[in-house]
Amino acid sequence: MRRKKRASIESKEPPARYQEWINYIFSFSASSFWSLDAESEISTFDATDTELVDLTTYMLENCGREFASYSNEKINSALDFVFNNSYSDIAFNLISDSVPLESRMRLIKSIYCLYCDCFDARCAEVLGHLSETTDNPLNQVCYMLWDVTPIAYLGDRKNKEQLYDAMIDVLEECLSLANPACVESALHGLGHLYGVSKDRIESLIASKLKSKVFIPPSLESYAELAMKGHVQ
């Protein structure tokens, strides 16, 4: 299977308060969140929606470097904190209509960097839908990202067609990555987006299956389910 090259990202300085943001999200511990009164003790990062989008985008665009000093467990917790609305409301801020469309589009595109420069390199090559086991905690957020995050459910938000198209573009690119855990996650995401672009997703996955290059045999049945939106 071919591996895509790293996404080309324009070099720029980190946003203001970036190190404060990194310290904030990496101080979160998912394992202790459900302990007594833990939720009430989590402080809120005081920033506008646009600032949160810029901070998250820069982090994802540069995650290969920015995550290098952190364990997979810490990365899993930090990503859960940002994207999983069971732990915070940050994901809702990221898709707010108050954020310029250009910034939201760039955020969506930066998710490919998360797959290419983090998940592809650091996740174990196991498949969640087959209940294959691993002691690598990063596989959890990789496999379940599109289940737990509200960014894929735009409701009546403005420009949702463009944003959905960008998500599908990203997930199509992720099907070209070497790690089957990334391919599985991309199929999982496409399955959840099936309702917003049925024809495109059916055609996209069918073409990948036909090529015999992008989807390994162990994922063919799952791809066929995703092609009809039948994923969990």
Side-chain angles (χ1 to χ4, degrees):
M1 184 181 296
R2 295 184 296 111
R3 174 176 175 170
K4 286 272 191 176
K5 294 182 179 179
R6 187 192 188 282
S8 177
I9 300 297
E10 181 182 353
S11 177
K12 61 181 294 185
E13 292 297 312
R17 302 179 65 203
Y18 178 69
Q19 193 56 52
E20 182 185 351
W21 162 253
I22 287 291
N23 293 341
Y24 172 71
I25 64 169
F26 275 96
S27 68
F28 173 73
S29 171
S31 61
S32 62
F33 176 80
W34 301 109
S35 63
L36 185 63
D37 294 329
E39 186 174 1
S40 63
E41 295 173 3
I42 296 177
S43 61
T44 300
F45 192 85
D46 187 15
T48 67
D49 294 342
T50 298
E51 288 171 332
L52 289 172
V53 166
D54 290 344
L55 290 163
T56 303
T57 300
Y58 183 87
M59 177 185 72
L60 297 181
E61 288 177 345
N62 298 280
C63 64
R65 180 188 70 229
E66 296 297 316
F67 292 174
S69 63
Y70 294 100
S71 68
N72 288 342
E73 181 178 10
K74 292 296 291 183
I75 296 169
N76 180 70
S77 288
L79 291 174
D80 249 345
F81 187 52
V82 172
F83 287 107
N84 187 339
N85 61 292
S86 293
Y87 297 123
S88 79
D89 290 331
I90 294 171
F92 292 112
N93 301 113
L94 300 181
I95 55 175
S96 170
D97 281 335
S98 68
V99 180
L101 176 60
E102 180 182 1
S103 296
R104 283 181 286 162
M105 290 287 285
R106 184 176 172 187
L107 170 70
I108 296 302
K109 292 175 182 178
S110 74
I111 293 174
Y112 175 68
C113 300
L114 175 63
Y115 276 84
C116 183
D117 299 333
C118 179
F119 291 157
D120 191 53
R122 300 184 68 147
C123 284
E125 295 186 4
V126 298
L127 299 178
H129 82 281
L130 295 180
S131 299
E132 295 178 350
T133 59
T134 177
D135 59 1
N136 186 342
L138 196 57
N139 280 72
Q140 178 183 353
V141 70
C142 177
Y143 177 50
M144 295 299 291
L145 179 62
W146 299 94
D147 248 328
V148 301
T149 184
I151 65 171
Y153 303 94
L154 298 178
D156 59 356
R157 290 176 176 83
K158 299 175 183 177
N159 307 114
K160 63 181 181 180
E161 291 82 8
Q162 289 172 264
L163 293 165
Y164 280 135
D165 280 344
M167 292 179 205
I168 295 170
D169 288 343
V170 165
L171 293 172
E172 180 177 10
E173 280 196 280
C174 291
L175 292 176
S176 300
L177 294 172
N179 193 324
C182 292
V183 178
E184 178 188 44
S185 176
L187 290 169
H188 197 166
L190 289 169
H192 281 297
L193 290 169
Y194 176 77
V196 302
S197 191
K198 296 179 182 180
D199 291 343
R200 182 183 174 192
I201 287 174
E202 286 182 6
S203 176
L204 185 164
I205 297 177
S207 69
K208 301 299 183 185
L209 282 167
K210 186 177 180 179
S211 72
K212 302 294 184 182
V213 174
F214 299 98
I215 298 176
S218 58
L219 279 168
E220 287 180 358
S221 295
Y222 191 69
E224 290 169 356
L225 291 173
M227 192 163 59
K228 296 297 182 182
H230 299 156
V231 295
Q232 295 181 347

